[in-house]
Amino acid sequence: MSRVLPTPVRGRLADDREILLFDTDTELGVDRRGLPLRPALPTTTVRRDPRTGDHVILAPARQERTYFPPRQMCPLCPDPEGLSSEIPAADYRVAVLENRFPSLDTPQVPYPADSQENSLRRERTGTGRCEVVCFSSDHDGSFAELPDDHARLMIDVWAQRTAELYSRDDIAEVFCFENRGTEIGVTLPHPHGQIYGYPFRTRRTRALLRTAAEYRAEHGADLFEALLAAEIADGTRVLVRTAHTTAFVPYAARWPVEVHILPNRHVRNLTELTDDEADDLARVYRTVLRAFDALYARPLPYIASWHQYRADAAEGYLHAELFSIRRSADKLKFLAGSESGRDAFVNDKTPETIAAELRAVL
Ligand SMILES: [Zn+2]
């Protein structure tokens, strides 16, 4: 039922990080930069907050990361000479590479077990995987402007990475995401996203799965299937509804712009979609992103966050959460006391208003 995923061309960069090119006719060249080799032992650690059980990643080496390089030094533009960029090739469609400044190191030594010596101080090596995903070689492009077949390729690239990373037993959660816009803190303007393979389940995922399990125990049904059916029946917050995909503003939206996108058929992750479903999801995803950019006079800063689970997980429904911190043409929402101190969001806009504003620019 599911489709064939693309096979990347694989190579190594000067410091032995892995690079993958997808759907390419271009040869991968040699990275001639004199980069120092990565340390053999991971430099990142994960500590568990003894009060909340949340994990905190400590990655001090990231302070050195690239910060707004001049355009001709863009590390994500292709460079056939292999002298100035992360991608030693004449061109590419989609490139994936291990992050040079990772929050989680890929283990080159046996994975150490979680230390149980002291229940208050639990620390382990921060192994996992951090990847940069370059959506296109066009420095000035954006995901919303990708042609149909290129956006579909991106869905397949995320699926291929998800399958490969979930096959690793030291990775508990695969998170594909895009931060777009300087207002979000993006330091490289070239269109790109990231993938984190965490060695633990994040708090948000634990909360989602716990709520879904509680709903199943109480109602004998899947939470997300019920939620999708309820949104469709109600209709006031639905933005796009196609044969295979539905996009809506969630009932309890936390952000001044927020849209969730679900496939109509219950799947756990992007690898399980059929060809038609993957094409449709790519179209709806870009439709929503284009509406985002049409809201105000300038491109909307946004975060796109994909929720995916292993195929045999007891709970979980593939979905994308897209949201923005922009609350008006000239104002941003900051995470202040209630949000940062208590994780209790205050939204100045009702979800129904957000849906009406987005529908007006669809
Ligand atoms: Zn670039």
Side-chain angles (χ1 to χ4, degrees):
M1 185 122 177
S2 55
R3 65 203 192 283
V4 177
L5 298 179
T7 305
V9 171
R10 290 169 188 266
R12 291 276 165 185
L13 297 173
D15 56 0
D16 203 39
R17 279 176 297 130
E18 196 176 18
I19 179 167
L20 303 87
L21 297 188
F22 285 84
D23 191 30
T24 182
D25 302 325
T26 318
E27 298 268 309
L28 197 53
V30 177
D31 180 8
R32 296 175 214 280
R33 297 171 297 168
L35 300 180
L37 278 180
R38 286 184 296 171
L41 290 169
T43 58
T44 58
T45 52
V46 176
R47 286 188 185 175
R48 184 177 163 279
D49 183 337
R51 301 172 309 155
T52 61
D54 292 345
H55 296 88
V56 177
I57 301 169
L58 307 175
R62 273 172 60 80
Q63 287 286 9
E64 307 299 318
R65 67 185 182 271
T66 316
Y67 188 79
F68 289 114
R71 186 188 167 120
Q72 67 275 16
M73 298 286 284
C74 173
L76 305 183
C77 277
D79 171 26
E81 307 300 321
L83 292 171
S84 66
S85 125
E86 290 275 78
I87 304 163
D91 197 8
Y92 64 86
R93 290 192 85 203
V94 174
V96 174
L97 48 128
E98 285 183 78
N99 197 319
R100 190 173 162 198
F101 302 99
S103 303
L104 295 156
D105 289 322
T106 294
Q108 298 173 63
V109 292
Y111 182 67
D114 199 356
S115 162
Q116 299 289 338
E117 284 167 27
N118 181 334
S119 60
L120 293 181
R121 294 196 173 177
R122 206 177 284 181
E123 180 178 82
R124 66 182 176 190
T125 318
T127 58
R129 175 99 164 181
C130 287
E131 299 183 340
V132 173
V133 182
C134 305
F135 300 149
S136 149
S137 61
D138 176 8
H139 184 85
D140 300 310
S142 69
F143 200 112
E145 293 159 7
L146 293 178
D148 276 350
D149 62 329
H150 201 129
R152 163 60 197 272
L153 173 63
M154 268 311 308
I155 297 283
D156 287 351
V157 168
W158 278 327
Q160 193 277 343
R161 300 314 302 143
T162 300
E164 182 168 320
L165 294 179
Y166 265 142
S167 75
R168 267 173 56 169
D169 58 12
D170 63 324
I171 287 179
E173 181 172 333
V174 176
F175 178 39
C176 302
F177 64 101
E178 179 189 3
N179 301 329
R180 205 281 287 265
T182 51
E183 299 93 332
I184 299 275
V186 176
T187 53
L188 289 176
H190 194 110
H192 72 285
Q194 299 184 63
I195 301 174
Y196 275 22
Y198 296 103
F200 53 84
R201 260 191 193 152
T202 60
R203 172 169 56 170
R204 188 156 174 78
T205 293
R206 281 188 282 129
L208 256 64
L209 294 176
R210 187 174 58 241
T211 314
E214 286 167 4
Y215 188 88
R216 192 177 298 282
E218 192 175 336
H219 302 279
D222 185 87
L223 170 63
F224 279 83
E225 289 177 16
L227 205 142
L228 180 59
E231 284 298 342
I232 291 165
D234 178 316
T236 51
R237 287 170 301 274
V238 174
L239 300 177
V240 186
R241 168 106 175 118
T242 63
H244 301 295
T245 315
T246 304
F248 57 89
V249 177
Y251 177 69
R254 297 188 298 168
W255 302 91
V257 182
E258 182 170 345
V259 174
H260 295 183
I261 305 175
L262 275 67
N264 295 339
R265 183 172 67 89
H266 186 175
V267 295
R268 299 268 187 252
N269 61 59
L270 290 167
T271 72
E272 298 176 55
L273 297 174
T274 64
D275 274 309
D276 286 348
E277 288 168 341
D279 279 340
D280 198 54
L281 179 59
R283 273 193 299 270
V284 172
Y285 186 73
R286 277 181 317 134
T287 300
V288 171
L289 290 184
R290 284 197 299 268
F292 275 17
D293 281 347
L295 272 176
Y296 301 109
R298 56 189 139 168
L300 192 77
Y302 67 79
I303 292 173
S305 152
W306 288 90
H307 293 267
Q308 300 190 81
Y309 310 87
R310 282 195 166 89
D312 59 358
E315 297 291 348
Y317 194 124
L318 165 68
H319 63 289
E321 264 184 309
L322 298 107
F323 53 90
S324 178
I325 56 170
R326 181 165 293 292
R327 61 187 175 89
S328 73
D330 58 355
K331 291 190 187 71
L332 299 179
K333 174 178 180 62
F334 291 99
L335 298 190
S338 188
E339 291 86 359
S340 295
R342 284 293 183 272
D343 215 6
F345 273 66
V346 181
N347 196 345
D348 297 347
K349 283 189 183 170
T350 67
E352 293 71 30
T353 306
I354 302 168
E357 288 177 359
L358 283 166
R359 249 192 236 114
V361 294
L362 269 176

